[in-house]
Amino acid sequence: MSYQTDEEKAEAIKKWWRDNGVAVIAGLALGLVIIFGWRYWTDYRNDLAAQASTHFEQMLYSAEDTDAATVLAKQSEQLDADFGATPYAALGALIAAKGLYQAGDAEAAIARLERVVDDAPDAALARLAALRLARVQLAEGALDAAESTIAAHDDSPEFSADFAAVRGDLAAARGDLATARDAYQTAIEGGAALSQLIQLKLDNLPSAG
């Protein structure tokens, strides 16, 4: 649109501003809120992660003491209370569970692992906790519970070989040597952790027939 005089142009601008000025200001304000709000949230999350990391490092130092089960449990609870939304809380619970089990408190260790399985913010951490839970259940003679744990969480290629190793242990504990042999072989071929130990278990199985 063209205007004949500068006065007409100025009047058109004023009219447009009266009609749209509030919306423009609101849009700018919203944009600033989003930008600075995102920066604040990012800074907050980074700071939270740094604090959680520091607490987790303290747990790692404590874990070097073989008699630190009680301390580790308390540190894990504090980490969960203050930084429960971060992966560090789940990692801390895994360390605490190990300390508790080594101290002879299998029940508390199992409870801690079950909580990680249910509440971990990351699926991989939940599966790792389930893998450790199945091992503890198996070591405690809770074969049916171990079987249920394996069945519920052996659904990821990243952990399938390690779960196969536990299935081998479970089958061996039940005297199903053929199934144990197949499971151990699957674990070795899949690159499970501690493959040499699994191979030793496989070699030590009684021969068929």
Side-chain angles (χ1 to χ4, degrees):
M1 182 180 295
S2 61
Y3 298 95
Q4 294 180 353
T5 66
D6 290 340
E7 289 78 4
E8 289 177 335
K9 293 178 182 179
E11 185 60 32
I13 291 172
K14 290 178 182 178
K15 183 178 184 302
W16 182 89
W17 181 253
R18 286 195 299 270
D19 294 340
N20 301 281
V22 173
V24 171
I25 292 174
L28 290 173
L30 180 60
L32 291 173
V33 167
I34 292 174
I35 291 172
F36 288 104
W38 175 253
R39 287 180 180 174
Y40 171 80
W41 174 244
T42 301
D43 290 343
Y44 169 77
R45 289 190 62 183
N46 290 340
D47 183 59
L48 192 69
Q51 293 181 47
S53 176
T54 299
H55 281 69
F56 180 69
E57 289 176 8
Q58 292 174 354
M59 284 198 70
L60 291 178
Y61 288 126
S62 298
E64 295 177 2
D65 185 350
T66 55
D67 297 323
T70 301
V71 173
L72 288 172
K74 290 182 178 178
Q75 289 177 326
S76 174
E77 290 170 2
Q78 190 64 48
L79 193 60
D80 188 57
D82 295 341
F83 310 102
T86 71
Y88 291 104
L91 290 169
L94 292 179
I95 293 176
K98 181 179 179 180
L100 288 165
Y101 189 71
Q102 290 177 335
D105 194 346
E107 184 177 352
I110 288 173
R112 194 64 58 100
L113 290 170
E114 287 175 338
R115 191 165 69 185
V116 178
V117 171
D118 293 337
D119 300 337
D122 181 83
L125 282 174
R127 291 190 183 96
L128 177 59
L131 182 64
R132 294 189 180 183
L133 174 61
R135 287 172 176 161
V136 172
Q137 290 169 329
L138 182 59
E140 292 301 301
L143 304 188
D144 291 342
E147 182 178 26
S148 297
T149 299
I150 295 168
H153 300 284
D154 182 13
D155 57 358
S156 171
E158 291 82 358
F159 292 91
S160 60
D162 295 299
F163 274 110
V166 182
R167 287 202 308 273
D169 291 340
L170 177 63
R174 287 174 166 168
D176 187 350
L177 302 183
T179 299
R181 188 172 289 105
D182 290 342
Y184 286 148
Q185 194 64 50
T186 297
I188 294 169
E189 293 173 357
L194 302 176
S195 291
Q196 291 182 336
L197 176 59
I198 300 169
Q199 182 66 57
L200 184 61
K201 292 179 180 180
L202 177 60
D203 294 340
N204 287 334
L205 287 176
S207 58

